[in-house]
Amino acid sequence: MIELIHVTKRFGDAVAVDDISLSVGKGELCVLVGTSGCGKSTTLRMINRLIEHSDGEIHLDGQPVREFREEVLRRRIGYAIQSTGLFPHWTVERNIGLVPRLLKWPANRVRERVEELMALLELSMTEFADKYPSQLSGGQAQRVGVARALAADPEILLMDEPFGALDPITRESLQDELARLQARLHKTIVFVTHDMDEALRLADRLVVMNQGRIVQQGHPIELLRAPADAFVESLLGGEDRGLKEAALLPVSERMSPLGPGPLAEERIARDATLREALSVMLWRHVEHLAVVDDDEVPIGELSLRRLVGARDHDA
Amino acid sequence: MRRDAVQPNIVLASLFLATLVAWLGLDAVSVAPNRIVPGQGVDVLGVAGWGGMAVSISPLLVALGLAWRPTPDRLRWSTGLVVLMLSALPVWLMVAAAFTVDPDMPQARMGIGGGVWMALFLLLLALIELRTRLTMPRARGWALLLVPLASLAACLSFGLEPLALRQEYQGRSEAFVSAIAEHLLLVGVAVCLSLLLGVGLAMAMRHWPRAQRVGFAILNFLQTIPSLALFGLLLAPLAWLSSRFDWLAAFGVSGIGWAPALLALIGYSLLPMVRNTYVALDEVDLDVIEAARGMGMSRGQVFRQVRLPLALPLILEGIRITTVQAIGLTAVAALIGAGGLGTFIFQGLGQAAMDMVLLGALPILAMALVADALLGALTDLLRPGGAT
């Protein structure tokens, strides 16, 4: 668990981070989002002391980070950055095994751990172990970056725009992968991005920052429904907000039980998002969809009226 | 049918053509009755007659033909021919010595003519071109040169007594060996010391940015002083120091000799060394350093395991430049009695004996080429994964 209490960072006269308080619970994925220069990256890097905070306190499991030796602290915290920061003169295997080696794990245990992580991130050991970073695609390099951050099985993971330099398709697939990993590993993650779609997609807790301050924080749905001010609203996409919210809600949330009438022809999966359901309706020119479970068995219906959240007086 | 799929290799063709022109147009050798009299040029016809000339140019004509449609196979044949021709050059000199030098005149000597020098130079260029075309590994290119070198060694041990270079060498074989040793020692010590000093200075400059501008200004200034002037400038203070401190004098320090030469060499070596080291250490990707720190590496670990290895190819580049430069500069140091191969160059110039100049200059050239090649190969070796 990470706690920031009235933390301030000044560079000379400039205040980069202004008196912020934030608490990230165990197993929570907290996304810091904001325009560039808003202090989100600085905040992240104060947690592993790549930047020392000027005022306030940062606690890790109740202990001030200043009480740790820098290196010891950082070896406990996984760290992944945008350009991957992989060492170009080391093979993939050596890169991933870095922190375990710093922690003086025996060689065979490091090797086992690297194999485990490469399997977890779907990197073939035989194909990639001996490659150098320059021989990898952007997506592969970023997987290696994430594997390296996870290597010593840290409780806490700091990710600084890790997917920022990737093309949209690779980025989405890596976002899915991170969500999948997080569902399995339950790390405490602080994730920095300026991409609101990415933030909404991944966050358990969304923290919007502007000019060094936290403007609003909460669950993505809460922010979408009640943005604190015009800045948050514009960051959340203004008129696009409806679609962004729909992308966060599953079909099962709005479906109605199977009625007596004939079943609609077009189908949608129970765990698809409302946004996908709306897209199917627009594309097929229909107002009703049959909701099916994983085995394609119909379990309910979704009407356009229910999808948009109108009260069902007549149903 | 695509008959013109293989274009003629213009580079090879013109190199071979130029070799042919030089071979036929310039003197093959020059012959002099003794050391003082300037030599008399003899061309290919004069050496071996029409028949000999025809034999001597036949491989060249074949190579020229092969360059017209350079398939990989033909390029391999051309490589063989070039190596053959290079190996035949010493044999050719033996033939020339037999036909042109009067065995009854023990003072008579034969110099190598422009035709042979040009052929040597152009054929080496052709070999480089062939190596590139055939994407031959660097090591194999060098291995190919062993054949002509072996041929040269064999010819020197079995004959070629009238060769002027050899006669110059024969008279001073001991001086020659010790000159090479002195030369290598001066260069080696200067490069090692300037490497230590240079890395130290570069790291100090990184630590104190203010020292950086002053440091580079001084080193740049040092570089602009002509070498002879620098020797002159060092003469007085060193002479004074050695007269004041007996232990310095006992150590062999004086106004002339190895001490000013070494100091000057180090002075000139520092700029390329410091500049390359500084830039190399400074230009390591900041994200990589940041990641290394973020992973929990200590300062020392970041430097030893990340910054230094990534900087190493560029630092080696600095060592390479410095070494090649020092090999050349050491020749000048002979003027102030520091010894080395420059001794022969300046003695030869004084006596108007060009062959003696060559005796000093050729090994310097060879040393520079070998140092360049070895350090270049080492740099390639240390650049892993195709990373730059």
Side-chain angles (χ1 to χ4, degrees):
Chain A
M1 171 168 140
I2 308 165
E3 219 167 348
L4 281 74
I5 308 157
H6 296 295
V7 172
T8 296
K9 174 64 194 177
R10 283 180 290 270
F11 293 107
D13 287 336
V15 181
V17 172
D18 192 3
D19 189 28
I20 65 169
S21 295
L22 172 69
S23 145
V24 185
K26 197 170 157 54
E28 201 174 19
L29 201 165
C30 170
V31 177
L32 305 181
V33 70
T35 50
S36 44
C38 70
K40 54 191 193 301
S41 233
T42 308
T43 305
L44 183 88
R45 287 147 51 124
M46 285 192 293
I47 297 172
N48 67 357
R49 289 180 62 195
L50 282 173
I51 296 177
E52 296 284 353
H53 53 282
S54 314
D55 274 318
E57 285 196 24
I58 300 175
H59 290 189
L60 216 70
D61 292 330
Q63 201 180 351
V65 289
R66 288 229 168 108
E67 285 180 10
F68 293 91
R69 248 186 61 212
E70 276 176 56
E71 291 92 47
V72 175
L73 174 78
R74 291 180 193 143
R75 287 169 199 173
R76 275 185 54 175
I77 302 178
Y79 185 51
I81 60 177
Q82 174 170 2
S83 60
T84 76
L86 292 178
F87 300 163
H89 58 309
W90 285 6
T91 60
V92 165
E93 185 181 350
R94 216 172 152 202
N95 264 291
I96 297 178
L98 168 61
V99 183
R101 275 199 311 278
L102 289 176
L103 292 169
K104 307 240 159 36
W105 290 16
N108 56 342
R109 198 174 147 213
V110 176
R111 169 107 192 153
E112 274 168 29
R113 179 63 183 158
V114 171
E115 275 173 31
E116 195 180 319
L117 281 164
M118 289 187 70
L120 187 69
L121 284 151
E122 283 160 9
L123 290 159
S124 146
M125 189 79 183
T126 45
E127 190 179 345
F128 292 110
D130 294 326
K131 284 206 166 147
Y132 287 93
S134 59
Q135 297 166 305
L136 304 177
S137 72
Q140 289 161 353
Q142 205 48 261
R143 277 161 203 265
V144 176
V146 173
R148 182 172 68 169
L150 287 170
D153 205 9
E155 287 283 292
I156 296 168
L157 212 53
L158 305 180
M159 308 184 91
D160 194 350
E161 303 205 27
F163 311 140
L166 302 174
D167 62 89
I169 293 172
T170 314
R171 191 185 315 160
E172 278 188 26
S173 85
L174 277 173
Q175 286 164 0
D176 287 345
E177 200 139 324
L178 180 64
R180 178 176 66 83
L181 282 176
Q182 175 63 356
R184 261 177 75 180
L185 304 174
H186 302 293
K187 302 287 181 192
T188 305
I189 302 179
V190 181
F191 189 107
V192 162
T193 182
H194 61 259
D195 177 349
M196 187 47 91
D197 287 319
E198 181 168 81
L200 289 170
R201 193 171 185 150
L202 293 172
D204 296 321
R205 175 202 296 273
L206 189 58
V207 179
V208 178
M209 291 185 69
N210 189 23
Q211 295 177 334
R213 293 167 172 274
I214 292 178
V215 190
Q216 191 176 10
Q217 56 173 307
H219 191 273
I221 295 281
E222 289 170 40
L223 267 71
L224 277 165
R225 290 188 179 156
D229 60 16
F231 175 76
V232 178
E233 196 176 328
S234 75
L235 208 62
L236 285 167
E239 295 297 313
D240 246 8
R241 263 160 55 205
L243 285 174
K244 288 201 157 72
E245 185 186 347
L248 293 177
L249 298 171
V251 164
S252 52
E253 186 125 318
R254 296 269 169 95
M255 73 179 185
S256 49
L258 281 172
L263 200 62
E265 264 181 40
E266 300 299 333
R267 304 176 156 211
I268 186 89
R270 173 175 50 184
D271 45 8
T273 65
L274 289 179
R275 187 185 162 123
E276 285 166 315
L278 181 63
S279 174
V280 172
M281 288 178 180
L282 285 168
W283 188 246
R284 298 289 180 188
H285 310 294
V286 294
E287 291 186 9
H288 296 272
L289 296 176
V291 180
V292 296
D293 66 8
D294 298 344
D295 301 322
E296 294 283 309
V297 179
I299 52 164
E301 289 179 318
L302 181 68
S303 66
L304 182 58
R305 284 181 60 83
R306 290 207 50 126
L307 188 152
V308 298
R311 300 271 175 268
D312 274 318
H313 293 301
D314 50 354
Chain B
M1 294 296 282
R2 292 175 56 209
R3 289 175 56 201
D4 283 13
V6 184
Q7 295 291 322
N9 185 321
I10 302 295
V11 179
L12 277 182
S14 21
L15 280 173
F16 290 139
L17 202 63
T19 313
L20 190 65
V21 171
W23 186 255
L24 295 177
L26 298 174
D27 289 337
V29 292
S30 68
V31 182
N34 58 51
R35 188 167 180 238
I36 312 301
V37 182
Q40 199 81 46
V42 185
D43 61 10
V44 178
L45 274 181
V47 169
W50 286 98
M53 184 199 78
V55 173
S56 75
I57 62 169
S58 54
L60 205 50
L61 291 175
V62 176
L64 199 56
L66 288 175
W68 206 250
R69 287 211 189 289
T71 59
D73 266 340
R74 291 181 179 191
L75 286 177
R76 263 175 229 119
W77 277 105
S78 300
T79 312
L81 278 174
V82 170
V83 171
L84 175 78
M85 286 187 276
L86 283 170
S87 313
L89 282 177
V91 181
W92 170 256
L93 290 176
M94 264 172 82
V95 173
F99 280 113
T100 57
V101 181
D102 187 349
D104 296 331
M105 293 174 66
Q107 291 296 315
R109 45 176 51 216
M110 181 187 79
I112 301 171
V116 173
W117 283 126
M118 283 305 285
L120 175 66
F121 175 67
L122 293 167
L123 288 174
L124 283 175
L125 285 184
L127 199 60
I128 293 173
E129 165 72 10
L130 283 165
R131 195 184 70 104
T132 323
R133 289 275 161 248
L134 288 168
T135 56
M136 225 183 270
R138 198 189 275 261
R140 202 179 318 156
W142 283 101
L144 281 178
L145 280 183
L146 289 179
V147 183
L149 282 175
S151 158
L152 178 66
C155 288
L156 280 173
S157 56
F158 291 119
L160 278 181
E161 277 89 3
L163 191 66
L165 256 176
R166 190 196 162 106
Q167 292 192 348
E168 294 292 342
Y169 166 76
Q170 217 107 49
R172 23 184 106 67
S173 60
E174 269 171 44
F176 181 77
V177 171
S178 67
I180 285 190
E182 282 163 8
H183 208 101
L184 286 176
L185 189 68
L186 260 179
V187 170
V189 172
V191 170
C192 285
L193 284 180
S194 63
L195 176 65
L196 289 178
L197 266 172
V199 172
L201 272 176
M203 282 170 67
M205 284 180 183
R206 284 179 42 76
H207 206 265
W208 296 286
R210 216 173 290 177
Q212 180 207 332
R213 208 179 295 167
V214 183
F216 274 124
I218 294 175
L219 292 177
N220 268 317
F221 171 69
L222 265 182
Q223 202 75 8
T224 59
I225 308 176
S227 48
L228 275 178
L230 189 55
F231 292 139
L233 285 175
L234 286 169
L235 202 149
L238 280 175
W240 180 77
L241 277 176
S242 75
S243 68
R244 276 292 295 273
F245 302 103
D246 288 340
W247 60 272
L248 274 179
F251 199 58
V253 173
S254 67
I256 58 168
W258 64 265
L262 191 62
L263 281 179
L265 278 178
I266 292 174
Y268 287 125
S269 300
L270 276 179
L271 180 68
M273 204 71 103
V274 173
R275 194 173 43 202
N276 271 56
T277 310
Y278 182 87
V279 171
L281 290 173
D282 208 52
E283 279 192 349
V284 174
D285 191 352
L286 268 180
D287 284 328
V288 173
I289 301 297
E290 174 87 3
R293 289 181 58 217
M295 295 291 141
M297 288 178 123
S298 66
R299 265 173 191 286
Q301 283 168 330
V302 172
F303 186 82
R304 284 192 309 274
Q305 296 187 33
V306 182
R307 200 185 278 280
L308 193 60
L310 286 177
L312 211 51
L314 246 185
I315 296 179
L316 270 171
E317 187 70 18
I319 299 180
R320 192 173 66 90
I321 296 170
T322 309
T323 310
V324 171
Q325 178 186 289
I327 289 173
L329 266 173
T330 303
V332 184
L335 276 181
I336 51 164
L341 288 162
T343 323
F344 297 126
I345 296 180
F346 292 113
Q347 271 183 29
L349 284 173
Q351 303 169 7
M354 289 325 283
D355 294 309
M356 190 168 175
V357 175
L358 280 181
L359 187 68
L362 286 180
I364 291 178
L365 188 69
M367 256 182 221
L369 286 176
V370 170
D372 188 69
L374 283 181
L375 288 166
L378 195 61
T379 311
D380 282 353
L381 210 70
L382 287 169
R383 198 171 278 153
T388 44

